[in-house]
Amino acid sequence: VFDAPPPPFDASFSDAPPPVFDAPLSDAPPPVFDAPLSDAPPPVFDAPLSDAPPPVFDAPPPVFDAPPPVFDAPPPTVAPVESPIDEMPTFATPDEPPALVEPPSLPDAWEIPEGTPIPGSEADPLFIEPMTVAPIADPQPLVEPSPFGGDPFVDRVFTGSVPVITGSVPVAPQQLDVDGDDPVDPTDQVPAAFDDLLGPARGTAPVEPILSPRIPEDEVVLGEAQQLERPRVFSLEAAGLEPTPDEQRVGRAARMFWMWFAANSTIVSIAFGAVLFSLGLSLRQAIVGILAGVAISFLPLGLGTLAGKRSGQPTMVVSRAAFGVVGNAIPALIAFVSRVFWGAAMLWLLATGVSEILVGAELTGGLDAGLLPIIVLAAGFVVALVVALFGYGLLAKFQLVVSIISGVLVVGVIALTASYVDVSAALTNPDGSWMLAGTVAVLVFSFIGLLWANSAGDLARYQRSGSSGAGAMLWTSFGAAVPTFVLISYGALLAASNPQIKEGLLSMPFDTIGRLLPTWYPVPLIAAVALSLVSGIIVTIYSGGFALKAVGLSFSRPVAAVVTAVLVAAGAFLLTSMSADLTMLFRDLATTLAVPVAAWAGIFAADTMIRNRRYHSDSLLATGGVYPTVNWVNLPAFLVISALGLGLTTASVAGLDWQGFLWPVLGVELDAPLAQTDLGVFAALLLGLLVPIVSGIPGIRRQESATAPQN
């Protein structure tokens, strides 16, 4: 007698070929039964199954000539199947007498003749349509793998009637993500082992999804009625400050690389490298400063991306958790000004760069040299406005195309100008003050990390909820930093190789680069300059619209994007009319705006690092939730830190020469190397990081406790 009741039989047994034993059976003769099984009628029980003792067979049990297979581990104990079985077989071994198997206990009312339909339970998520009873044509010992892993279990040999599936089992096919390359992470469908059990009865209707153990308790997963939907390319994005719908969050972490590569693979970085080298450093000092600035840029870029992925909301909306729902209006306004400034700067660089190349290559087509920048400016403005107006769907496609083309063109520019690099001459430039290496680090940090700090989360809103946060952070940082580091360093190397090239890159950078290239390269060079700059302008307009809404204005997203674009165009026209140069742009204007952005980035980054749970989206959209109306620690600290940072920077542009007022207090002359480092940017970032760490942890923990899921 078996100690455990018989295991369940396979529902699709009659349709599937017999499985293979662990031990080979091909060399052993088939089992010989003492009496034919097919002609013997099933035994008749004298009493109901539930009350009668085990039946006694008139004929001795079948004897196998070969011993049954031996398994390394005992079969798992499974619950008996409530199914009518007329006869239970026994196994006979050479070493022990035959054992009788007790049939399962069934209710007295279950008198089911052969062929009677047995309906399934509609409450069962794996609903099986009505089954019928049919005899087994050729009974065989059966070894089936466990659908949940582990050791296989053995079915007994049945000679009577068993239920066989004649309907269909509805099973949801695996959902593939819209990019068509891998299954959707948020839900797991029916385990693959069920496919073998169900066989041809497998259907197509949905079943209840099984939560993956990799998904945290507070993670959002898609229900069975939700389908992943890629944002349409030419559909106007209506998203505002609310979270991106989960069914539209289809982005993978790797997407963040080319989203940011497109906006940072600009030839302008070569000219920027020459500006840095002209400060009076050696080549090695310039490279060290560039590398330090790039490395520090990972902090605001990566953590901004993580915050946007967690919440699915724009950066300056998530910032409300740190500064208060109303108090965040001041940082949001500064973020909007930063978007407008950098958008105007890139649009001005586009107009001056393309017009310089066209004039130098004598491809103006008879247009006046003074009118040409205005025409280029207008064309770039229209393209950027259209893409930003449509929103994320078109923006993502545009960035992908620009990344590929810009990557090829940048490699072409470097390869065709490499003959002008003289490493021996570049290394002969003497070292300057190492304080200037700090200046280089500040400028690079402002040009990369702080330029995009307010926008990092805006492009991460469509990342999958279940995707890797660390992966998204790294791909964002590498996408923004790698091309910039390569191009800035190459510009410093060109400037260090030849003084004439250095002077040309400072005065007319695009024309100088064009003269270093073959005569047939002006058109590819224009594309290399224009595409990446237009990509950056699009991101600033798109992100600026969200920052404007985060201030508290009730514009729709498209209207906010139009308002931002108009101000960007006005700023670019102003820079064109005042004949700005790269030194003034990067050394004075950029660092002045970088100070408050660095103070905000420090507080926001520390707040993001401290939090362990997702943001409470509803509380970010209105007062009265878990986040305060005004954070009376972070907001005043932000204002004070910004003032201190501006007191430790210097500027020579009229109207900004009041900066550096703290250096005389500290006994440092304004023209001293230390004062020229613009140390206030790093000071603002560091002080901002310290504020939430010192005073904000208890408040953040209370907020997370209020939003923790209740058991």
Side-chain angles (χ1 to χ4, degrees):
V1 179
F2 287 89
D3 294 336
F9 49 82
D10 182 11
S12 62
F13 173 77
S14 62
D15 298 328
V20 180
F21 288 83
D22 293 342
L25 297 179
S26 60
D27 297 335
V32 179
F33 298 89
D34 292 342
L37 299 179
S38 59
D39 299 329
V44 179
F45 297 101
D46 296 335
L49 292 178
S50 59
D51 301 324
V56 179
F57 297 98
D58 295 335
V63 180
F64 292 90
D65 293 339
V70 179
F71 297 93
D72 294 337
T77 302
V78 295
V81 178
E82 297 181 358
S83 173
I85 300 177
D86 299 323
E87 179 180 354
M88 296 302 298
T90 61
F91 286 100
T93 64
D95 300 329
E96 59 183 8
L100 297 178
V101 179
E102 295 183 3
S105 177
L106 299 176
D108 296 342
W110 279 31
E111 293 292 337
I112 304 175
E114 183 174 317
T116 302
I118 305 173
S121 172
E122 295 185 358
D124 192 342
L126 287 175
F127 174 66
I128 301 178
E129 294 182 6
M131 301 183 295
T132 59
V133 176
I136 297 178
D138 186 16
Q140 296 285 342
L142 179 64
V143 178
E144 283 290 348
S146 171
F148 304 101
D151 297 323
F153 58 82
V154 181
D155 278 352
R156 306 299 186 262
V157 178
F158 300 111
T159 61
S161 299
V162 298
V164 179
I165 298 175
T166 59
S168 61
V169 180
V171 180
Q174 271 193 332
Q175 286 184 342
L176 298 180
D177 81 334
V178 294
D179 294 323
D181 58 349
D182 55 355
V184 177
D185 269 347
T187 55
D188 288 336
Q189 304 301 326
V190 176
F194 284 163
D195 292 347
D196 297 331
L197 294 176
L198 298 175
R202 193 171 188 267
T204 58
V207 299
E208 194 71 21
I210 302 174
L211 294 182
S212 169
R214 295 177 298 151
I215 301 177
E217 293 180 358
D218 57 350
E219 192 64 87
V220 177
V221 295
L222 296 179
E224 58 181 285
Q226 293 175 297
Q227 299 291 329
L228 291 176
E229 178 184 356
R230 177 187 301 175
R232 296 180 180 178
V233 175
F234 293 106
S235 177
L236 201 65
E237 182 187 8
L241 305 184
E242 66 278 359
T244 303
D246 289 292
E247 63 270 16
Q248 295 184 15
R249 300 184 65 174
V250 300
R252 301 183 304 275
R255 173 180 294 183
M256 302 308 298
F257 177 83
W258 48 260
M259 289 288 281
W260 288 107
F261 184 93
N264 290 277
S265 56
T266 172
I267 302 300
V268 175
S269 297
I270 295 178
F272 184 44
V275 171
L276 297 178
F277 179 76
S278 67
L279 297 177
L281 302 87
S282 65
L283 180 61
R284 65 168 184 165
Q285 289 175 320
I287 297 299
V288 169
I290 294 168
L291 184 60
V294 167
I296 300 172
S297 297
F298 280 36
L299 179 67
L301 289 174
L303 291 173
T305 297
L306 179 63
K309 177 196 168 296
R310 280 179 175 177
S311 66
Q313 293 173 275
T315 305
M316 297 314 300
V317 176
V318 183
S319 176
R320 290 175 173 177
F323 294 93
V325 178
V326 176
N328 186 68
I330 296 176
L333 181 61
I334 293 176
F336 175 72
V337 173
S338 173
R339 300 299 83 212
V340 171
F341 167 76
W342 280 112
M346 286 186 280
L347 188 55
W348 167 74
L349 288 170
L350 172 67
T352 57
V354 173
S355 60
E356 272 186 26
I357 297 171
L358 291 175
V359 171
E362 299 181 353
L363 298 175
T364 59
L367 294 174
D368 182 72
L371 183 61
L372 194 58
I374 305 300
I375 297 175
V376 176
L377 189 152
F381 166 76
V382 171
V383 174
L385 175 60
V386 169
V387 177
L389 188 63
F390 275 100
Y392 186 87
L394 182 57
L395 170 61
K397 287 298 183 184
F398 186 86
Q399 298 294 83
L400 175 60
V401 174
V402 170
S403 293
I404 298 172
I405 298 176
S406 293
V408 173
L409 294 175
V410 164
V411 171
V413 169
I414 293 176
L416 293 174
T417 58
S419 59
Y420 294 95
V421 173
D422 188 343
V423 177
S424 300
L427 294 177
T428 59
N429 292 276
D431 287 343
S433 172
W434 278 98
M435 291 290 183
L436 294 175
T439 303
V440 171
V442 169
L443 294 174
V444 172
F445 177 55
S446 303
F447 186 66
I448 304 176
L450 299 181
L451 190 162
W452 302 117
N454 303 124
S455 304
D458 298 344
L459 300 186
R461 294 160 43 245
Y462 286 85
Q463 288 285 291
R464 296 177 187 173
S465 298
S467 64
S468 170
M473 293 169 63
L474 289 176
W475 282 119
T476 295
S477 300
F478 283 124
V482 169
T484 312
F485 173 75
V486 171
L487 291 170
I488 293 176
S489 300
Y490 185 70
L493 180 59
L494 278 176
S497 299
N498 191 315
Q500 293 181 344
I501 294 178
K502 181 183 75 172
E503 295 301 325
L505 290 175
L506 293 176
S507 58
M508 299 186 67
F510 303 104
D511 181 63
T512 301
I513 296 174
R515 293 180 183 277
L516 299 178
L517 295 168
T519 56
W520 54 267
Y521 207 79
V523 174
L525 178 60
I526 291 173
V529 171
L531 287 176
S532 183
L533 285 175
V534 170
S535 171
I537 298 166
I538 292 170
V539 174
T540 58
I541 295 175
Y542 180 75
S543 177
F546 288 119
L548 183 61
K549 287 177 62 64
V551 172
L553 301 179
S554 58
F555 294 146
S556 65
R557 190 208 65 83
V559 172
V562 171
V563 172
T564 306
V566 171
L567 293 176
V568 165
F573 182 79
L574 179 61
L575 290 173
T576 303
S577 61
M578 63 186 296
S579 301
D581 57 33
L582 292 178
T583 302
M584 180 185 73
L585 178 68
F586 293 124
R587 183 67 193 276
D588 292 338
L589 299 179
T591 54
T592 299
L593 191 57
V595 170
V597 175
W600 167 85
I603 296 173
F604 179 72
D607 184 270
T608 302
M609 287 189 292
I610 293 171
R611 295 184 184 274
N612 296 322
R613 296 186 178 275
R614 292 167 57 93
Y615 292 93
H616 191 256
S617 299
D618 292 340
S619 297
L620 292 173
L621 299 176
T623 58
V626 298
Y627 305 118
T629 303
V630 177
N631 188 316
W632 291 108
V633 175
N634 289 350
L635 182 60
F638 165 73
L639 298 175
V640 172
I641 292 172
S642 298
L644 292 175
L646 291 172
L648 297 176
T649 57
T650 58
S652 57
V653 177
L656 297 177
D657 50 5
W658 53 268
Q659 295 181 41
F661 56 85
L662 287 180
W663 288 120
V665 176
L666 298 174
V668 179
E669 299 293 333
L670 291 179
D671 57 354
L674 180 59
Q676 296 297 315
T677 58
D678 290 327
L679 191 61
V681 176
F682 283 157
L685 177 68
L686 180 60
L687 293 175
L689 285 169
L690 291 176
V691 170
I693 295 174
V694 172
S695 62
I697 295 178
I700 291 175
R701 293 292 176 255
R702 287 193 296 270
Q703 294 171 5
E704 292 185 327
S705 298
T707 59
Q710 302 297 322
N711 294 327

